[in-house]
């Protein structure tokens, strides 16, 4: 029986970001899993992340609040689905902590994988959406630009603190 590759992107519903960054994956992992770091890099400037809560376990909370340049807050609540230290982080806003479905139905699930690449990291994000319309909306909101800008901020931060 052939094994299904659940991480194969579907161009109709998924967005992908892949880059090589010159920061060791342990530091990339630390940036993703430490609330104090998330506050400094997670939202592309001039937006800010003003609050973060992480319970790093399957079903644990992953909550952030983003602040627009105009001062409007955008809370994002979700939970972790899968965690392999320094290798994989899967989270979603489709579920609240404890895998309780969200009232809003959620937006997407993200699969972040980190591979050693020399002294740096191969950084891969697969953003899965429930349908083409949702994927298109996320893309039009600036998925590639925003996630790339946030990754640049992550790299800059981790080089400065380590």
């Amino acid at each position: 029986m052939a094994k299904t590759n659940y991480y194969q992107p579907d161009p109709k519903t998924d967005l992908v970001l892949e880059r090589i960054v010159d920061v060791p994956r342990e530091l990339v992992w630390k940036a993703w899993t430490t609330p104090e770091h998330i506050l400094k890099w997670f939202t592309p400037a001039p937006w800010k992340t003003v609050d973060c809560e992480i319970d790093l376990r399957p079903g644990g909370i992953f909550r952030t609040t983003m602040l627009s340049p105009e001062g409007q807050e955008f809370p994002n609540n979700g939970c972790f689905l899968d965690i392999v230290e320094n290798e994989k982080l899967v989270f979603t806003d489709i579920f609240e902590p404890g895998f309780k479905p969200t009232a809003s139905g959620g937006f997407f699930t993200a699969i972040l994988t980190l591979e050693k690449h020399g002294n740096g990291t191969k950084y891969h994000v697969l953003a899965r959406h429930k349908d083409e319309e949702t994927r298109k909306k996320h893309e039009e909101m600036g998925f590639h630009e925003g996630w790339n800008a946030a990754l640049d901020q992550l790299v800059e931060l981790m080089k400065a603190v380590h």
Side-chain angles (χ1 to χ4, degrees):
M1 182 175 190
K3 187 174 181 180
T4 303
N5 180 355
Y6 293 106
Y7 302 116
Q8 181 65 39
D10 179 343
K12 292 180 181 176
T13 56
D14 299 339
L15 295 170
V16 175
L17 169 66
E18 184 172 279
R19 283 180 41 195
I20 306 297
V21 295
D22 60 347
V23 174
R25 73 179 179 165
E26 293 78 12
L27 293 182
V28 175
W29 179 263
K30 195 173 191 179
W32 264 99
T33 58
T34 308
E36 295 77 20
H37 290 324
I38 291 272
L39 293 174
K40 296 175 184 167
W41 73 264
F42 190 70
T43 310
W47 287 63
K48 295 179 184 177
T49 302
V50 293
D51 193 28
C52 177
E53 182 180 359
I54 291 175
D55 180 5
L56 195 60
R57 62 185 172 91
I61 193 168
F62 182 39
R63 179 183 55 75
T64 60
T65 301
M66 298 179 189
L67 184 68
S68 75
E70 298 76 30
Q72 186 177 1
E73 289 190 356
F74 292 86
N76 298 287
N77 298 310
C79 79
F80 293 105
L81 301 174
D82 192 15
I83 299 159
V84 179
E85 187 173 358
N86 295 320
E87 292 180 21
K88 180 171 59 171
L89 194 59
V90 182
F91 60 94
T92 188
D93 65 353
I94 295 169
F95 295 112
E96 295 177 1
F99 306 111
K100 180 181 177 186
T102 60
S104 69
F107 186 65
F108 79 112
T109 297
I111 303 164
L112 169 69
T113 55
L114 308 172
E115 296 177 34
K116 286 187 178 187
H117 189 272
N119 292 327
T121 304
K122 181 179 177 184
Y123 183 97
H124 186 273
V125 175
L126 174 60
R128 309 209 98 155
H129 304 84
K130 61 185 173 185
D131 54 35
E132 288 183 64
E133 181 182 328
T134 307
R135 181 212 37 91
K136 185 177 180 185
K137 180 181 175 186
H138 198 184
E139 192 169 33
E140 289 171 353
M141 287 170 55
F143 169 81
H144 290 99
E145 297 84 359
W147 282 64
N148 269 301
L151 180 55
D152 290 342
Q153 292 170 176
L154 178 156
V155 168
E156 184 179 320
L157 172 69
M158 297 318 284
K159 285 181 173 181
V161 298
H162 290 281

